Amino acid sequence: NDKLLVDGMEAIFLRHPSVQFAFYTRTADATQLFQYKLMGGMIPDGMPDADAIKFWNRQNLAMLEGLQAKHSNFRTFVAPGAGHCGNTFDSALKETGFKAWLRTV
């Protein structure tokens, strides 16, 4: 449920106001879409995957923008395209603006 995720993240941000949190995502993350559907996300039945990823992306960005607007210790970076879990930052470092964003975290 979307509210559970937002409430959980907000509780963490509020509990640790001196910690800077960062979130990196992509505009077409099929793994996030898959998990969102599994958790009962509100993707209309029968919606083609290409449309579903756009639908999910709008919801995800709205959630992240809302959290960032409310919490000064939360920053986001949204890269274009597909992909999930760039833990080594190999692909993230190639994205325009990522290094500058990283310095703000």
Side-chain angles (χ1 to χ4, degrees), residues 20-25 64 68 72-79 86 89 92-93 95-105:
Q20 184 66 58
F21 295 92
F23 189 86
Y24 173 88
T25 190
L64 294 173
Q68 188 167 300
S72 62
N73 61 336
F74 178 63
R75 300 279 185 273
T76 60
F77 186 89
V78 181
F89 291 113
L93 288 170
E95 296 297 335
T96 302
F98 182 77
K99 290 179 185 175
W101 171 80
L102 196 55
R103 285 192 278 288
T104 70
V105 176

Side-chain angles (χ1 to χ4, degrees), residues 18-85:
S18 63
V19 176
Q20 184 66 58
F21 295 92
F23 189 86
Y24 173 88
T25 190
R26 291 189 165 272
T27 58
D29 187 333
T31 302
Q32 284 186 14
L33 174 62
F34 175 75
Q35 294 297 322
Y36 184 69
K37 286 179 179 180
L38 283 178
M39 294 186 304
M42 299 171 72
I43 303 291
D45 288 337
M47 179 180 276
D49 284 346
D51 294 333
I53 199 81
K54 291 175 189 171
F55 185 87
W56 155 246
N57 187 51
R58 284 192 300 270
Q59 292 181 10
N60 187 40
L61 294 179
M63 177 192 70
L64 294 173
E65 288 168 358
L67 286 168
Q68 188 167 300
K70 286 178 67 177
H71 302 280
S72 62
N73 61 336
F74 178 63
R75 300 279 185 273
T76 60
F77 186 89
V78 181
H84 184 75
C85 287

